[in-house]
Amino acid sequence: MKQLIFLFFLLLPLTFSPKVFAQAEPAEATAVKDDFQNAYFESLKQKAIENYDKAILEIEKCLKTQPENAVLHFEMGKNLLAQKKYDQAYTAFEKATQIDSKNRWYWVGMYDACYESKNYNKAIPIVEKLVEFKVDYKEDLVSLFMNTKQFDKAFELINELNDTFGKTEKRDLYKAEILQDAKYQSAEKMNLLSQIKKYPKVEANYLDLIFLYSESNQDEKALEIAHKLEVEIPNSEWAQVSLFKFHLNQKNGEQAVKSMNIVFGSKKIDDKVKHRMLNEFLIFVKNNPKYNSDLENAITYFKNDPKINVAKEVAKFYQNQNDFDKAIQYYELYFKDNSNDDLETLLLLLHCYTEKGKFDVLASKAEQMIDVFPSQPELYYYAGLANNQLKNFKKAKDKLESGIDFVINNNALEINFNVQLGEAYFGLGDLKKKELYFLKAEKLIQQQKK
């Protein structure tokens, strides 16, 4: 919570009253002065080596001579605070402020005692006093209001500080937390409209307001603000993010594509935003396939993305939708720019070829990749299946018999191997071996059911 570093262990200048010494005889005064100073500096020494009990005893000696010395009460408070005796420390610091209310550090001591004991409500009036010394303490006050759930006060103060000093990441996070409660959203919309009127060239205010309108399903108002942003800041790429969403909702694909391409070509806009837009456009294209070429073009923007291969993710999306033609299209696009050593994606592509009955390309691809992954049984299976469908029964048999020994702890795959071997031998006219492999498959199926 605390924003400021308080230098409690600085040696404050001594402000001892000379009256005590002036009233004594010179010899006596010297003795009193020496005893006092010896005790005081001994307390500082003991505090420095963290012997706080001894430091407190020495300060108590000093207080017998000067009970109204604010510095002594402050030093007492620092030692008690170090011992985590927060209530006693608070009392000592408070006594210092009562003697000298104009010394900021005495109030800081009270604040520290409250903060360390998590008594945030008690800290608030102290920090309000500290604001009189230094306006920076308003940042602490925001945090205290948030911790005590005084969101009305926090909201008002955040807006004041944003207007006066500009936004900060911490205040933005606090405001986002407050705005989760819908009752504050109307006030924030009014605040942002006011900010836009005062500062028409500050892009962030438009974006925040567009977001709020969109979240509350006020799409027309969101579009109105996006258009205002376009007028005031014609080259704003962020405006296109909101316009893209609006155009999609209106099923205006041409304008959505235009906005999307501007955003995707921008270096200012975060990749997370771009990925979200692509996902939204992907869903749109699923229902509006005439924009498929625009989707393909959009994917090229992500060609060098080190985190996500967009073509592969789009292919998976279509495969999950059982749109195998589209899935094949994007898997093949993925493999144009990537090596063939991605076995997981390769097997997904082979599955799609199987679903679409593209057995010639399935056979060619599977056989080619056996050379790359010679111990991968799925490749032998797909090669065997494809050749069976192409009536190349001898080749199918050879591939399946070569691959079945690589099947380990995969009951389903072993069943499929035996079925395809039965099909291959049936095609070769060997009915005895056909029955043998079909029986093996049936036995495995029965085991699987147990």
Side-chain angles (χ1 to χ4, degrees):
M1 180 204 305
K2 298 187 78 175
Q3 311 273 325
L4 307 173
I5 299 174
F6 303 125
L7 306 177
F8 269 10
F9 293 94
L10 284 176
L11 181 59
L12 285 159
L14 299 181
T15 56
F16 306 135
S17 171
K19 292 181 181 178
V20 173
F21 307 121
Q23 293 170 359
E25 294 294 326
E28 294 173 355
T30 301
V32 170
K33 183 177 180 181
D34 287 345
D35 288 345
F36 183 94
Q37 289 188 339
N38 288 339
Y40 181 77
F41 286 111
E42 181 64 21
S43 76
L44 296 181
K45 182 177 120 180
Q46 294 299 326
K47 183 181 70 176
I49 61 174
E50 300 183 2
N51 190 351
Y52 302 116
D53 286 331
K54 178 64 175 170
I56 289 169
L57 288 173
E58 296 300 323
I59 292 169
E60 286 173 344
K61 292 178 186 178
C62 295
L63 282 168
K64 289 178 181 177
T65 306
Q66 293 192 24
E68 294 300 310
N69 189 309
V71 172
L72 296 176
H73 291 286
F74 179 65
E75 283 297 318
M76 178 68 79
K78 286 195 289 184
N79 281 282
L80 291 165
L81 187 66
Q83 292 181 316
K84 300 183 180 181
K85 296 177 178 178
Y86 301 124
D87 289 341
Q88 294 177 54
Y90 180 91
T91 301
F93 290 130
E94 184 179 36
K95 179 65 176 176
T97 64
Q98 290 168 352
I99 298 168
D100 179 5
S101 63
K102 294 182 180 179
N103 189 311
R104 172 164 62 104
W105 295 108
Y106 301 165
W107 294 96
V108 168
M110 293 172 68
Y111 177 26
D112 250 29
C114 293
Y115 179 77
E116 293 297 332
S117 59
K118 296 183 170 54
N119 195 337
Y120 302 130
N121 278 303
K122 193 173 182 179
I124 287 172
I126 299 166
V127 177
E128 287 173 336
K129 176 68 179 177
L130 282 167
V131 169
E132 297 175 15
F133 292 97
K134 196 172 183 181
V135 73
D136 291 359
Y137 286 103
K138 286 189 175 183
E139 297 288 355
D140 291 58
L141 203 50
V142 170
S143 295
L144 289 169
F145 285 145
M146 291 299 295
N147 274 286
T148 56
K149 303 191 183 306
Q150 298 184 59
F151 297 127
D152 290 341
K153 291 181 179 180
F155 184 71
E156 183 180 350
L157 186 53
I158 287 168
N159 285 338
E160 177 195 322
L161 291 171
N162 285 349
D163 195 23
T164 308
F165 302 107
K167 296 182 179 181
T168 66
E169 184 178 351
K170 189 166 190 177
R171 274 188 255 123
D172 283 347
L173 289 172
Y174 281 150
K175 180 174 268 194
E177 183 181 341
I178 292 169
L179 290 175
Q180 288 177 5
D181 188 335
K183 77 175 185 177
Y184 294 101
Q185 291 178 8
S186 294
E188 178 61 0
K189 288 171 188 174
M190 296 302 295
N191 171 60
L192 288 168
L193 285 168
S194 171
Q195 292 295 307
I196 288 169
K197 190 172 182 180
K198 285 169 67 177
Y199 309 109
K201 301 299 181 185
V202 177
E203 189 178 45
N205 292 325
Y206 294 92
L207 301 177
D208 289 346
L209 186 54
I210 289 167
F211 174 79
L212 280 178
Y213 280 140
S214 298
E215 286 292 295
S216 56
N217 297 316
Q218 294 176 283
D219 289 342
E220 288 186 11
K221 288 191 175 182
L223 179 64
E224 180 185 335
I225 299 303
H227 282 315
K228 277 187 180 181
L229 174 55
E230 274 193 306
V231 171
E232 290 294 341
I233 311 176
N235 61 345
S236 171
E237 293 160 347
W238 277 102
Q240 301 303 321
V241 176
S242 297
L243 290 170
F244 166 79
K245 179 74 173 177
F246 176 80
H247 294 317
L248 280 189
N249 290 341
Q250 297 299 310
K251 296 182 170 52
N252 187 341
E254 286 78 10
Q255 288 300 317
V257 168
K258 182 179 175 183
S259 294
M260 178 178 69
N261 288 336
I262 291 171
V263 172
F264 285 178
S266 170
K267 293 182 179 179
K268 296 180 182 176
I269 298 175
D270 189 87
D271 284 345
K272 290 180 182 178
V273 174
K274 295 178 183 179
H275 287 144
R276 188 182 71 234
M277 288 177 67
L278 183 67
N279 288 337
E280 291 171 351
F281 189 62
L282 177 58
I283 294 167
F284 177 77
V285 172
K286 180 178 177 291
N287 300 316
N288 299 273
K290 71 175 183 175
Y291 295 103
N292 188 59
S293 61
D294 295 300
L295 176 61
E296 225 179 298
N297 180 63
I299 288 171
T300 63
Y301 286 106
F302 300 89
K303 189 173 180 179
N304 298 316
D305 191 325
K307 297 179 181 177
I308 299 175
N309 192 290
V310 172
K312 180 164 71 172
E313 295 307 312
V314 171
K316 287 181 179 179
F317 170 82
Y318 280 121
Q319 187 169 7
N320 289 333
Q321 300 293 320
N322 293 324
D323 189 338
F324 298 108
D325 284 323
K326 288 278 179 60
I328 289 169
Q329 174 188 343
Y330 287 102
Y331 280 133
E332 289 180 342
L333 183 64
Y334 165 75
F335 279 114
K336 277 184 183 178
D337 299 315
N338 294 273
S339 64
N340 284 330
D341 61 358
D342 183 350
L343 180 63
E344 177 193 3
T345 306
L346 173 64
L347 294 177
L348 292 173
L349 173 58
L350 296 182
H351 173 75
C352 292
Y353 285 146
T354 305
E355 292 290 339
K356 292 303 297 180
K358 294 190 172 188
F359 297 116
D360 51 349
V361 67
L362 175 63
S364 174
K365 191 71 173 174
E367 289 169 17
Q368 174 191 347
M369 296 313 298
I370 284 172
D371 293 335
V372 180
F373 301 101
S375 61
Q376 194 61 40
E378 285 88 351
L379 297 176
Y380 293 92
Y381 166 73
Y382 280 119
L385 180 150
N387 279 293
N388 269 337
Q389 294 296 320
L390 296 169
K391 301 190 184 307
N392 298 326
F393 299 116
K394 175 68 168 61
K395 184 182 276 192
K397 175 188 78 72
D398 291 343
K399 295 297 180 187
L400 291 163
E401 286 180 339
S402 297
I404 196 168
D405 289 338
F406 295 116
V407 179
I408 299 171
N409 298 327
N410 189 333
N411 205 39
L413 184 59
E414 190 174 354
I415 290 167
N416 289 333
F417 260 94
N418 282 291
V419 169
Q420 291 303 318
L421 277 165
E423 294 287 351
Y425 276 109
F426 179 70
L428 291 169
D430 190 335
L431 300 182
K432 187 175 180 181
K433 284 199 173 179
K434 169 210 157 187
E435 288 299 324
L436 172 68
Y437 283 106
F438 279 178
L439 284 170
K440 283 185 178 182
E442 181 61 29
K443 186 177 180 181
L444 288 168
I445 290 169
Q446 294 304 320
Q447 288 175 357
Q448 199 172 46
K449 288 180 179 178
K450 291 180 181 179

